[in-house]
Amino acid sequence: MVRKSIITSTTIIFLSVLIYLLSNKDSRGDVVYRDKLQHTDRLLVAIDNNIPGNFEINGVSYYGLQHEILNSYASLLGIELEIIPDNSTSAYEALLKEKKINIAAVLKSNILDESTYAIPVFNTSYVVLTRKEKKSTPLSNIFELIEKADGKTIMVSQAFSSSKSFDILLDSLKNTHTYLTTKNILNMLQDLSTGKYDYLICEKNEADIGQALIKNLTGIYEFREEIPVYVMFNKEDSIVAKHFESWLDVFKASDKYAKLDRIYSHPEQRSQIVRNNGRRISEYDEIIKKIAKEENLDWRLISAMAYQESKFNPSVISSKGACGLMQVMPQVARQFDYDPDNLMDVETNITVAVKLIKNIERSIKFAPGTHINDRMSIMLACYNCGIGHVLDARKLAVKYGENPDEWLCVKKYLELKSNDDIIAEEIVKSGRFYGYKETSAFVSKVIDKYQSYCQIASL
């Protein structure tokens, strides 16, 4: 008897993607594609003004699902994601042409230039919000919306203006005052809640977040039309673009993407995104507070580090082997008598990281009166690049008559540690250092995030 083997189309696609990825790896794995980017130290992404989910909550930037996906790709390449916000269509086209960015995140209607390589990332939809009233019942079709909105005022997110549904509305809303806006979505929601207009058309994720923040708003209609969101590459970066496209197919089948999809597809899960509004930073606040308090450290600084290291994702493992929420190396766990196999446990991961930070603080021996920002910056540099390079930089600062407890001085000599003359000096014990840009960026971003967390959460 002959058995027939049935291979589904999904299996074929998956195998094709897998073969593509494997055939395009060298000994360094996916990181080979990083070297084909125009900027190899960061993944520079311009975000179109109209991309759904591009706004701030309490001073903390939020870029939605697009950001999550791009950050995962940057992690694969072993580099940092840097968002360049507030760009118009012409601006990001110019940035791509001039090779000042690697990627532009856009809506389909904005793809105008044939010199770009566009890849669809996900689809979203738009909804109608209004203030809660006794008669705020859901509408079953667009014609009911047209009838209900007659004589009223509607504010429309700019991105929706490219849709077919918007054209239908414009043709049908004869007595309705309709306005397009590029205002921050939270400002638009607030204006709606106070009665400045009657209805707001905005992206579904933004609407759910708005309803979590502002309790007197409700959704009454969802447009059936799906709006695609794309990323664009310069065609000269087509090798990387095709790698991203293949990676995205595999990523969408992963557990990590499934978790993101649950968050961004279900209002009750998506409410986690607005936790900052409730004076919370992350779901790990209580654990971080407890462990930081034991070592007399500011839990908001530890949270800022966790955000920068993993975006609060406890499952991340870097290309260098750093693990978990705080990206702790296995050898550091051994240093403090913890089993490296337990580093994916959140509490263990945070505990080892906090012990390392406290050990760094004791080893540095700052002079009395050292400014808190200098203390934090130098400690963060040690955490990022290793205490040996920072100690070398501090010794060099002393030798050349500068303050070893001042971050700008330490930063200066970290950069100089790439020079032959400097590393030849007897006091330099840890050798050459090329990672000063990465360390400087890490320190700056963590301090910025820490300061924003101080505004929304108490010690």
Side-chain angles (χ1 to χ4, degrees), residues 117-175:
Y117 190 107
I119 301 166
V121 178
F122 66 91
N123 291 329
T124 189
S125 60
Y126 278 72
V127 300
V128 180
L129 292 180
T130 189
R131 290 179 301 284
K132 283 183 180 177
E133 298 172 352
K134 291 181 180 179
K135 297 181 180 180
S136 298
T137 55
L139 307 177
S140 59
N141 58 62
I142 195 169
F143 302 106
E144 287 186 9
L145 172 64
I146 292 168
E147 181 180 352
K148 192 173 182 65
D150 186 60
K152 302 292 180 62
T153 302
I154 300 181
M155 193 67 69
V156 181
S157 294
Q158 179 71 38
F160 186 67
S161 65
S162 61
S163 69
K164 295 176 182 177
S165 300
F166 181 69
D167 290 339
I168 294 172
L169 282 179
L170 279 187
D171 290 340
S172 305
L173 295 173
K174 302 301 181 184
N175 302 316

Side-chain angles (χ1 to χ4, degrees), residues 124-311:
T124 189
S125 60
Y126 278 72
V127 300
V128 180
L129 292 180
T130 189
R131 290 179 301 284
K132 283 183 180 177
E133 298 172 352
K134 291 181 180 179
K135 297 181 180 180
S136 298
T137 55
L139 307 177
S140 59
N141 58 62
I142 195 169
F143 302 106
E144 287 186 9
L145 172 64
I146 292 168
E147 181 180 352
K148 192 173 182 65
D150 186 60
K152 302 292 180 62
T153 302
I154 300 181
M155 193 67 69
V156 181
S157 294
Q158 179 71 38
F160 186 67
S161 65
S162 61
S163 69
K164 295 176 182 177
S165 300
F166 181 69
D167 290 339
I168 294 172
L169 282 179
L170 279 187
D171 290 340
S172 305
L173 295 173
K174 302 301 181 184
N175 302 316
T176 303
H177 305 287
T178 306
Y179 300 95
L180 289 177
T181 179
T182 57
K183 286 177 66 176
N184 184 296
I185 182 63
L186 295 183
N187 292 335
M188 292 158 58
L189 292 163
Q190 191 63 50
D191 288 348
L192 176 64
S193 73
T194 57
K196 288 189 177 180
Y197 42 87
D198 301 296
Y199 301 101
L200 169 65
I201 298 177
C202 64
E203 193 262 343
K204 188 179 184 206
N205 292 322
E206 296 175 340
D208 287 330
I209 291 171
Q211 289 175 85
L213 289 170
I214 303 171
K215 299 304 181 183
N216 72 328
L217 300 182
T218 186
I220 59 170
Y221 183 70
E222 180 176 351
F223 294 91
R224 292 186 178 90
E225 181 183 359
E226 291 189 328
I227 308 294
V229 179
Y230 282 69
V231 294
M232 287 170 52
F233 292 78
N234 188 312
K235 275 197 174 172
E236 293 183 16
D237 287 332
S238 62
I239 292 176
V240 181
K242 289 175 182 177
H243 176 253
F244 174 86
E245 191 170 22
S246 298
W247 166 83
L248 183 62
D249 284 338
V250 175
F251 180 66
K252 284 186 173 181
S254 69
D255 290 340
K256 182 176 180 180
Y257 185 82
K259 181 179 179 181
L260 290 175
D261 188 55
R262 285 194 298 272
I263 291 173
Y264 287 92
S265 300
H266 297 86
E268 67 276 9
Q269 297 237 11
R270 191 155 53 246
S271 63
Q272 296 174 24
I273 296 169
V274 297
R275 55 183 173 261
N276 288 339
N277 195 61
R279 309 311 239 181
R280 289 180 61 78
I281 292 172
S282 80
E283 61 187 288
Y284 305 108
D285 282 6
E286 298 312 314
I287 298 175
I288 294 174
K289 283 180 184 179
K290 171 181 168 290
I291 297 170
K293 185 177 181 180
E294 290 171 357
E295 297 291 351
N296 196 29
L297 292 172
D298 190 331
W299 74 277
R300 297 166 300 184
L301 177 64
I302 309 303
S303 295
M305 293 172 68
Y307 176 86
Q308 185 58 35
E309 291 286 12
S310 68
K311 303 297 184 290

Side-chain angles (χ1 to χ4, degrees), residues 58-60 281 446-457:
N58 289 330
V60 179
I281 292 172
V446 172
I447 292 295
D448 286 348
K449 188 63 66 176
Y450 167 71
Q451 290 172 347
S452 71
Y453 285 167
C454 287
Q455 295 175 9
I456 64 173

